[in-house]
Amino acid sequence: MKPSKSLLMVFLLPILMIVLPAVLLLIIALQVSQEESLQNHQLQSNDLDTLVQMATFDRQLGDLHQRMTDVLSRVEDINLNAMQRYAEYGVINQELTQISNNIDRLATSPLIFDLSQESADALQRVFHQYRSFISMANEAATLNQGEPSFYLQEAQHHFTTFNLFSQQIFEELTLRASARHRESYSALTNTRASILWIGLGLFALLISAALFAAWRINRRLVTVGDAILALSDSRQPLPDLQRVERLSRKHTGPLQRIAVALLSLRDTEQKRRHAERQVHQLAYYDSLTGLPNWRLMKEHLQHSLETNSQTNTYGALAYVDVDEFKRINDSIGHQAGDELLKQMAERLQNLGQQAATIGRLNGDEFAIIIDGLDSDKLKAAEKAELFASQVAHALTQPYCLDGHYQFLNVSQGLVLFKGIDDSVDSLFQYANSAVHFAKRAGQNSIRFYDPAVQAQLESRTELERDLRLAIENKEFVLVYQIQVDSQGSAIGAEALIRWQHATRGFVSPGAFIPLAEETGLIVPIGNWVLHAACEQLVAWQADEHTKDLVLAVNVSAKQFQQPTFVDDVAHALEISGASPHKLKLELTESTVIGKIDDIIARMHQLKALGISFAMDDFGTGYSSLQYLKRLPLDQIKIDQSFVRDLHHDADDMAIVETIIAMGRSLGLNVIAEGVETMEHWKCLNDHQCHAYQGYYFCKPVAAAEMASYCLAPPPTLT
């Protein structure tokens, strides 16, 4: 049987449970009623026949008695011979026998028997007595053995008795027949009523059974229907389907197949939802921290714009960036860096700001959306700044990683929003520009977006574009600032880069070098400087006055940390033919922060080529002192910030003296930059500084002008 037909039988079962038994009961009731009616009709017919026979019997017996009396009373008057009389009497005797048989049958009829067995016996007895006297009268008349009148009188007496008794019985039979008819009708009525009540009871029982079956079926169908509805609504959690599981265990046939199909559908839907959640998690959430990612944060911000527009309140977007996270990540390892980001995410989530949505954009950058600050812009800004301060406080607390404490600083950019006219992309851009200027302002700084800031950002974007074009078009040039010894004689120079912009003219390194550092363009720029410096060394080696000059080249931390840096330097020396002993690489303190063993190994590789090293801007950092004795340095350079007020500031003088003494103790050459006056030179010379660089001796000039300075007599220290 097909499942559809089986299900049809399930739906028709309650109807069949009522209709089929009801039809069967109706047929049985009709048969019983018909049999009762037939019995009642038969009873009435038999009683009526008995009454008719009784009435006919009285009439026949009366006629026979009259004819018998006439015959016997006229026996002498009628000239009949013996044979004729015998024949006549024989006929009468036959009629008496027939009447006797009728009386016997009448006596055994149900009506008389029901009336009284004694009445039937008495009726037979009186008739037989009457017949006896009739027979004796007949014999007497026939055989001439006596007077038949005597016997005839006795027969008349018994006939009268029989007639009276017969009439009495007839009346009683009539009454009894009427009673029997009423009793039969009453029994028939009672039987029909019983059948009706029994039918109604059975019908009620069938309806109850059908209703129970329908309830059971309906319950199962409702269970199936509820399961289907629950499985079809993807917004609701999946049901446990315990009832469906019981259906699959306790039933067979279509219900079991439906239950098994629903359970299979639930498992499939569970797998689908799990896969959908995984896809949604990957699409909208950060895999490392579990926070909303850039895509979901944009949707949240769009929703916040609509919400704050309806409530007429300001919201804020905070852009959080970790300062120098790459340096921290490189020093502790990427795995520990990931753990640090996880702890940062936990701290942001534990701030307790209910109206804040926190997400991770990428790397070490987080975004926070704050709704419903205030309807007043100034108060909203104050609340946003207070929240940013809480963020800074939470994120700058010590982090414990593998038993070691790490510290970090964050910069935050804030932008307020209120209406739906604001663009989501623009708000993120504004917040990013604000955090950019927060970084410039110093560690743990907080800055609000300002149109002027945006103008600077656009200018920076334009400058970055031009800087990339400058690398392609080779718009850079090198200038050189002379370095002298204590006698004022030229011993070398520092190569300084200048950008010769097509429309802006010469662009200061302070304007584009930080941008190149941030964008990574410092690597190709540094490679160009390295090749140009080597070519300049070759040109100086051809001149008697410049062949002994040592050229110092600044190397950025990103350039030095390139895996191919040693090979790049060797390649530049090889293709130019420059002497590696005339090349000096100046490193900043940030260059040697991180994996110190790798840095030292790389420096030794370069030292093996004949290259010397100088530590630039010495004293401005905080980590180089502990590594100073391990680094293969040749020279340390006193930063010009300590030289500028040297002869006026006792603290600067103490620092300079300490650096010179430290260099002497470690066997390092010491050079001071920023020497702009005779007083600077004299003071440094008095403390036995080895070399000097600054405007007092020479401004940064082109290579040709640099050669002329070498031809000029050195200045005199007075």
Side-chain angles (χ1 to χ4, degrees):
M1 183 179 292
K2 295 183 178 180
S4 58
K5 294 183 178 179
S6 301
L7 287 176
L8 182 62
M9 292 302 297
V10 170
F11 287 113
L12 292 178
L13 180 60
I15 300 176
L16 296 176
M17 289 180 63
I18 297 176
V19 173
L20 293 180
V23 171
L24 182 61
L25 287 175
L26 180 61
I27 294 174
I28 293 174
L30 290 176
Q31 290 180 349
V32 172
S33 178
Q34 185 176 5
E35 290 178 0
E36 289 287 335
S37 298
L38 289 175
Q39 291 178 1
N40 187 30
H41 176 72
Q42 187 66 35
L43 178 64
Q44 292 179 2
S45 297
N46 293 336
D47 291 348
L48 183 60
D49 290 341
T50 300
L51 293 176
V52 170
Q53 290 177 8
M54 193 72 181
T56 304
F57 167 72
D58 289 341
R59 181 178 56 78
Q60 290 177 351
L61 186 59
D63 293 342
L64 179 60
H65 177 72
Q66 183 65 37
R67 189 159 54 87
M68 189 71 179
T69 302
D70 292 341
V71 171
L72 292 176
S73 60
R74 291 185 295 112
V75 66
E76 296 179 354
D77 298 333
I78 301 174
N79 293 320
L80 296 176
N81 57 28
M83 185 60 67
Q84 290 177 338
R85 285 197 301 271
Y86 183 78
E88 183 70 20
Y89 294 148
V91 172
I92 292 173
N93 190 43
Q94 289 179 354
E95 291 182 2
L96 284 175
T97 301
Q98 184 178 1
I99 292 173
S100 176
N101 292 333
N102 291 336
I103 289 175
D104 291 338
R105 287 194 302 271
L106 190 64
T108 59
S109 67
L111 182 60
I112 295 179
F113 188 81
D114 184 55
L115 177 65
S116 175
Q117 181 63 37
E118 296 178 355
S119 299
D121 295 339
L123 183 64
Q124 287 178 316
R125 186 175 57 254
V126 172
F127 177 76
H128 287 305
Q129 290 176 356
Y130 166 73
R131 183 180 179 182
S132 297
F133 284 103
I134 289 297
S135 296
M136 287 187 290
N138 189 16
E139 290 178 357
T142 303
L143 301 175
N144 295 318
Q145 294 178 355
E147 285 295 329
S149 58
F150 172 77
Y151 297 106
L152 186 61
Q153 289 178 357
E154 289 296 328
Q156 181 64 39
H157 172 74
H158 287 287
F159 174 77
T160 302
T161 302
F162 175 80
N163 193 24
L164 291 175
F165 187 67
S166 175
Q167 290 179 356
Q168 180 181 358
I169 290 177
F170 181 77
E171 292 177 358
E172 291 178 357
L173 287 177
T174 302
L175 294 177
R176 183 56 186 166
S178 178
R180 279 167 59 88
H181 175 69
R182 288 194 300 270
E183 291 175 359
S184 176
Y185 181 77
S186 177
L188 178 62
T189 303
N190 292 335
T191 300
R192 290 179 177 177
S194 299
I195 293 174
L196 177 62
W197 284 110
I198 292 173
L200 290 176
L202 292 176
F203 190 70
L205 182 62
L206 290 174
I207 291 178
S208 300
L211 290 176
F212 178 74
W215 174 77
R216 289 289 301 273
I217 295 173
N218 179 72
R219 185 180 178 184
R220 296 166 187 169
L221 295 178
V222 167
T223 299
V224 172
D226 290 343
I228 294 174
L229 290 176
L231 292 174
S232 63
D233 192 353
S234 59
R235 297 171 298 179
Q236 299 294 330
L238 285 175
D240 54 6
L241 300 185
Q242 293 182 357
R243 293 183 177 177
V244 177
E245 291 179 354
R246 287 196 294 268
L247 284 179
S248 66
R249 292 193 303 266
K250 296 182 179 180
H251 295 275
T252 59
L255 282 177
Q256 185 186 40
R257 291 194 292 271
I258 293 175
V260 172
L262 287 175
L263 294 175
S264 177
L265 180 61
R266 180 196 61 181
D267 296 338
T268 303
E269 178 67 11
Q270 187 174 11
K271 293 179 182 178
R272 186 194 67 80
R273 292 189 183 185
H274 179 68
E276 189 177 69
R277 285 194 297 268
Q278 287 183 326
V279 172
H280 183 270
Q281 185 73 20
L282 292 174
Y284 289 97
Y285 289 89
D286 176 54
S287 59
L288 178 64
T289 62
L291 295 176
N293 61 9
W294 165 263
R295 182 178 181 181
L296 186 56
M297 288 299 290
K298 290 180 67 175
E299 295 184 5
H300 279 305
L301 184 57
Q302 182 62 47
H303 177 71
S304 297
L305 289 174
E306 298 172 357
T307 302
N308 285 272
S309 176
Q310 295 173 358
T311 58
N312 196 29
T313 56
Y314 282 92
L317 172 63
Y319 205 105
V320 183
D321 191 4
V322 181
D323 299 332
E324 299 182 354
F325 182 76
K326 186 178 185 306
R327 175 184 60 80
I328 299 173
N329 200 25
D330 292 340
S331 64
I332 64 177
H334 292 284
Q335 185 175 0
D338 291 343
E339 180 61 28
L340 185 62
L341 291 174
K342 291 181 181 179
Q343 293 188 23
M344 291 178 62
E346 291 177 1
R347 293 186 183 186
L348 289 175
Q349 289 176 311
N350 293 332
L351 286 176
Q353 185 75 12
Q354 296 182 353
T357 303
I358 303 168
R360 182 191 177 203
L361 303 182
N362 55 62
D364 59 336
E365 297 177 349
F366 295 85
I368 305 175
I369 302 172
I370 314 167
D371 294 325
L373 290 173
D374 201 282
S375 58
D376 182 73
K377 188 174 183 179
L378 180 59
K379 292 182 179 179
E382 292 176 352
K383 292 181 179 180
E385 187 174 14
L386 177 61
F387 180 74
S389 300
Q390 296 174 356
V391 171
H393 177 74
L395 296 182
T396 54
Q397 298 301 307
Y399 297 84
C400 184
L401 300 173
D402 297 330
H404 300 283
Y405 286 97
Q406 296 290 338
F407 297 85
L408 55 80
N409 300 298
V410 295
S411 298
Q412 298 183 68
L414 301 175
V415 59
L416 296 177
F417 58 84
K418 184 177 183 179
I420 57 176
D421 295 334
D422 295 319
S423 170
V424 171
D425 293 332
S426 298
L427 290 175
F428 274 105
Q429 180 182 355
Y430 297 157
N432 191 19
S433 64
V435 80
H436 175 77
F437 283 93
K439 281 181 170 292
R440 291 188 179 182
Q443 296 178 345
N444 294 325
S445 297
I446 301 173
R447 289 292 182 270
F448 276 90
Y449 166 75
D450 186 80
V453 174
Q454 183 62 25
Q456 294 180 18
L457 178 62
E458 293 175 356
S459 175
R460 177 182 178 275
T461 304
E462 183 180 357
L463 183 64
E464 180 182 349
R465 184 191 66 237
D466 292 346
L467 186 59
R468 295 182 183 275
L469 293 175
I471 296 174
E472 296 178 4
N473 300 331
K474 298 181 179 180
E475 297 177 357
F476 300 105
V477 295
L478 288 181
V479 295
Y480 306 91
Q481 189 173 30
I482 196 170
Q483 295 176 343
V484 300
D485 58 11
S486 58
Q487 302 300 321
S489 300
I491 59 174
E494 181 181 1
L496 302 172
I497 190 172
R498 296 293 185 267
W499 179 9
Q500 191 173 6
H501 196 277
T503 58
R504 300 183 184 184
F506 279 101
V507 180
S508 170
F512 71 86
I513 291 298
L515 178 61
E517 291 276 3
E518 294 177 11
T519 58
L521 296 176
I522 194 65
V523 175
I525 293 176
N527 288 333
W528 177 87
V529 171
L530 186 62
H531 284 269
C534 289
E535 293 174 358
Q536 187 59 51
L537 277 175
V538 174
W540 281 349
Q541 287 175 6
D543 192 328
E544 183 68 24
H545 299 284
T546 57
K547 65 178 182 178
D548 295 326
L549 293 179
V550 176
L551 185 57
V553 177
N554 289 283
V555 178
S556 69
K558 288 186 178 181
Q559 183 183 6
F560 186 80
Q561 292 167 0
Q562 294 297 312
T564 61
F565 179 71
V566 176
D567 295 334
D568 292 340
V569 174
H571 180 67
L573 291 171
E574 181 181 359
I575 64 174
S576 64
S579 172
H581 299 284
K582 301 299 181 183
L583 180 63
K584 180 173 60 177
L585 301 181
E586 291 190 356
L587 307 177
T588 60
E589 294 185 14
S590 61
T591 306
V592 297
I593 295 176
K595 298 180 179 180
I596 187 64
D597 294 332
D598 294 341
I599 294 171
I600 293 174
R602 186 168 299 175
M603 291 178 68
H604 279 296
Q605 291 176 354
L606 293 170
K607 288 282 286 186
L609 298 176
I611 299 172
S612 59
F613 286 96
M615 177 66 72
D616 193 15
D617 300 332
F618 186 79
T620 59
Y622 58 89
S623 63
S624 62
L625 291 178
Q626 80 181 96
Y627 303 126
L628 186 61
K629 63 180 181 179
R630 298 180 57 192
L631 296 174
L633 295 172
D634 299 285
Q635 186 183 62
I636 56 177
K637 180 182 283 189
I638 302 175
D639 188 70
Q640 61 181 342
S641 62
F642 303 126
V643 178
R644 186 178 301 112
D645 298 324
L646 179 64
H647 52 292
H648 299 300
D649 193 323
D651 293 336
D652 288 343
M653 177 60 73
I655 293 174
V656 170
E657 291 176 355
T658 302
I659 295 175
I660 294 173
M662 183 185 301
R664 186 180 299 111
S665 299
L666 296 175
L668 299 176
N669 185 272
V670 180
I671 183 173
E673 64 177 349
V675 180
E676 299 181 354
T677 64
M678 175 64 75
E679 288 79 5
H680 290 160
W681 186 18
K682 187 178 187 309
C683 184
L684 290 167
N685 190 64
D686 291 342
H687 289 83
Q688 299 179 353
C689 185
H690 301 104
Y692 313 92
Q693 176 184 340
Y695 277 20
Y696 178 73
F697 305 102
C698 176
K699 293 182 179 180
V701 294
E705 192 174 353
M706 176 69 188
S708 65
Y709 272 100
C710 292
L711 293 174
T716 303
L717 182 63
T718 58

